[in-house]
Amino acid sequence: MADLSKLPKDFYVTSMQFTKNAHQDMYPAIDPCLPEHSLAGKVVVITGASRGIGALAMVPAFIKAGVRGVVLLASNIEKLAATEQTVKAVNPNIETLTYALDISNTKAVEAAFDKVREKFGHADVLINAAGAMTGDGPKLHETDPDEWWRNFEINGKGNYLLIRSFLRLLPSPDTPATIVNISSWQAFFVVPPLGAYFISKYILDALATYVAEEYPNVTAVSMHPGLVPTDMLREPFRSLFNQDSPELVGGTAVWLCQEKAKFLSGRFIAANWDVEDLISRKEEIVKNDLLKLTLKGQFGAGNM
C-alpha cells in the first residue's frame, strides 16, 4: 500500500471531485429541514440503524425531513432500541418499527418486511447502510475465505434481499420510491488487502444500476459517503485525512429522494459533490451516460 502520510489531508475529496464545488459538511442545498425537501407522509427503512452511518447520519436527517414512519433494521436489538429512543425523543409523532435480523437470512428479511406491510402498507425509501467490514485491521485478504464470504453475504446477498422485499411491497409499478446504497468509490479500484469489502460494494453498485433500468418508478443511487468518523473508519485514514460530517451524508440522502435527483438513478455519486453543480451538469451526465459502471475501450470488428 502507498505511503498515505505523503498525501494532502483533503486527498479523498479532491482526487475524486466531479463537481466544481465540494463539501465536507452540511450546506444549504441539502438541508433536510427545507420545505422543498419535506418527506411528510413517507416511510423510510434504514438498515445498519444501530450504529455508524445508519444511526448517526440517516436517522437524524430523515427525522428532520418529517417522515411519517421510520423502520430501523440491524442485528443488535439493544442498540436498535437506543436508536428508536433517539427518534422518539426528537419527534414522538414519528411512528417507529424496529426489527433485529441478519440481512443475509432470506426468511428474516421477508419477516421484517411482513411487519412493514402490517404497520405501514409499504415503505417509500430504502437506505442500505449496513456494512460488513469486520475486525480491528485490514484482514480481508484473499487468503481469508470466511471474511470474503461474509462480505458477499451482507453487501451482495443481504442487500439484494432487502431491495427485493422493498420492491415487492410497492402498491403499483407507478409508485415512486427511492433506494440509496451506501457504497465506496474504492470499489472501482484494486485495493489490497481489502478486496473482499470493495468487490462486495461493487455488487451493490450493480444492483442500483439494474434496479434503475428495470423499475423506472424507482430512483436507485449508490453513494460514497466520504470519510465519516464512525467505528468503521480505521487508521491511518482517521488521523491522516479530513473527515466528512454525518450531516453531509444524511442531507445528501434526503436530497436524493427528491424528483430533481431522478436523473441520477442508476448512477454513482459522492456525498462530497455539490448537488447544485450536479443539476447544472444534468444534460451532460445524461447525454454522455456518466457516473455509471462501464467498460472502457474501442470495440467491434471495425476497430481492429
Side-chain angles (χ1 to χ4, degrees):
M1 184 177 289
D3 184 358
L4 300 179
S5 66
K6 297 185 181 301
L7 298 175
K9 290 186 73 66
D10 62 354
F11 174 78
Y12 280 95
V13 177
T14 59
S15 63
M16 64 171 298
Q17 189 169 333
F18 178 76
T19 55
K20 180 179 179 180
N21 299 291
H23 306 273
Q24 293 198 274
D25 201 355
M26 171 69 72
Y27 58 101
I30 60 166
D31 186 350
C33 295
L34 289 175
E36 65 190 78
H37 293 163
S38 172
L39 296 175
K42 305 295 185 181
V43 175
V44 58
V45 178
I46 301 174
T47 72
S50 65
R51 57 189 274 250
I53 286 173
L56 299 177
M58 299 304 176
V59 171
F62 281 88
I63 292 174
K64 291 176 181 177
V67 293
R68 172 171 71 94
V70 177
V71 180
L72 305 169
L73 303 181
S75 59
N76 189 307
I77 191 169
E78 290 82 11
K79 290 183 179 180
L80 271 179
T83 304
E84 183 179 31
Q85 287 303 311
T86 299
V87 175
K88 292 298 187 183
V90 176
N91 187 345
N93 294 320
I94 293 179
E95 298 179 70
T96 58
L97 171 64
T98 62
Y99 199 96
L101 80 168
D102 176 349
I103 65 170
S104 67
N105 184 304
T106 302
K107 291 184 177 179
V109 172
E110 291 175 348
F113 277 86
D114 283 342
K115 295 295 185 182
V116 174
R117 184 180 64 251
E118 291 172 10
K119 184 157 188 172
F120 297 110
H122 74 282
D124 305 280
V125 180
L126 172 63
I127 305 294
N128 283 321
M133 187 181 287
T134 60
D136 299 320
K139 302 191 307 180
L140 312 186
H141 195 272
E142 61 184 357
T143 57
D144 191 345
D146 289 339
E147 292 291 349
W148 273 85
W149 177 243
R150 188 56 184 156
N151 275 272
F152 283 120
E153 277 194 317
I154 297 297
N155 288 321
K157 178 185 177 183
N159 283 304
Y160 162 75
L161 293 173
L162 290 162
I163 291 171
R164 183 179 68 171
S165 290
F166 172 78
L167 293 173
R168 283 176 171 175
L169 288 190
L170 295 179
S172 78
D174 299 319
T175 302
T178 303
I179 298 172
V180 178
N181 295 329
I182 300 304
S183 186
S184 172
W185 79 300
Q186 289 183 310
F188 299 97
F189 302 91
V190 178
V191 189
L194 302 178
Y197 181 69
F198 292 128
I199 290 175
S200 67
K201 286 295 189 182
Y202 193 85
I203 296 172
L204 188 58
D205 299 338
L207 281 170
T209 300
Y210 276 95
V211 168
E213 289 297 321
E214 297 183 14
Y215 297 85
N217 56 309
V218 178
T219 299
V221 181
S222 283
M223 178 174 69
H224 171 65
L227 298 179
V228 183
T230 70
D231 56 353
M232 285 188 67
L233 182 59
R234 301 175 175 183
E235 293 295 352
F237 302 98
R238 181 179 289 271
S239 58
L240 289 181
F241 301 103
N242 296 335
Q243 295 172 19
D244 304 289
S245 75
E247 292 79 10
L248 172 73
V249 183
T252 304
V254 169
W255 182 85
L256 286 169
C257 297
Q258 314 304 318
E259 180 62 29
K260 57 190 170 185
K262 180 70 176 175
F263 75 99
L264 293 170
S265 190
R267 292 177 161 82
F268 181 98
I269 73 162
N272 306 104
W273 298 349
D274 185 273
V275 298
E276 292 178 315
D277 288 352
L278 284 171
I279 290 175
S280 71
R281 297 180 65 179
K282 176 180 176 179
E283 182 177 353
E284 173 195 1
I285 290 169
V286 173
K287 179 180 179 181
N288 297 319
D289 225 15
L290 303 181
L291 308 179
K292 285 190 172 183
L293 305 184
T294 187
L295 175 67
K296 291 183 177 180
Q298 291 185 335
F299 305 101
N303 293 316
M304 298 299 111

